Amino acid sequence: MFHPWIMLGVEANRVIGLRLMKLMRGDRGARREARLMVAEKLEAAFKANVRMLEGASSDEIIRMYRRRVAANAKRLSKLNSGRPALRRRRRK
C-alpha cells in the first residue's frame, strides 16, 4: 500500500524538474505550460474528488494521478520539447 505513494512522489518530482526547466525559458511555451499546469491540477483534483465520492479506493486515486504524471513526463521529456522547430528552406 505504501509503495504507490512513494512512486507517485518520485515520478511527480521528475515532472516538477522538467517543468521548471521549461518555465525558466520564459518564452511563449513557458507561459502555455504554466496555464496548462494550473488547468491540469484543477481538473485532476476535481476528478479525484468525484471518484472518492463514487467510492473509489485510495489506490485507484493514486493510479489515476500516476497515469497523469506519466503522460506529463512523456510530453515534457520529448526531444526538443518546447524548442521551435527548425524551418526548412524552400527550394526555388
Side-chain angles (χ1 to χ4, degrees):
M1 170 145 170
F2 196 62
H3 175 71
W5 287 91
I6 293 172
M7 291 306 299
L8 177 61
V10 170
E11 293 161 350
N13 192 35
R14 177 170 180 249
V15 170
I16 290 168
L18 291 168
R19 273 197 166 135
L20 283 174
M21 286 190 292
K22 188 163 190 167
L23 292 172
M24 285 191 306
R25 290 189 201 134
D27 59 0
R28 189 180 333 171
R31 289 188 297 274
R32 188 173 33 242
E33 184 63 33
R35 284 191 300 272
L36 180 62
M37 177 178 62
V38 171
E40 285 177 343
K41 288 186 184 312
L42 291 172
E43 182 183 351
F46 177 76
K47 285 185 176 184
N49 282 321
V50 169
R51 297 279 294 143
M52 284 193 318
L53 290 173
E54 292 173 344
S57 70
S58 60
D59 286 339
E60 290 172 329
I61 302 297
I62 292 170
R63 202 172 311 124
M64 180 191 76
Y65 273 106
R66 286 186 69 196
R67 276 194 302 267
R68 289 189 156 233
V69 168
N72 281 328
K74 183 178 179 180
R75 177 179 54 82
L76 289 166
S77 63
K78 285 181 183 175
L79 185 62
N80 294 326
S81 176
R83 294 185 195 151
L86 294 176
R87 295 183 181 169
R88 293 185 182 175
R89 291 184 190 176
R90 290 185 183 177
R91 292 189 177 190
K92 295 179 183 181

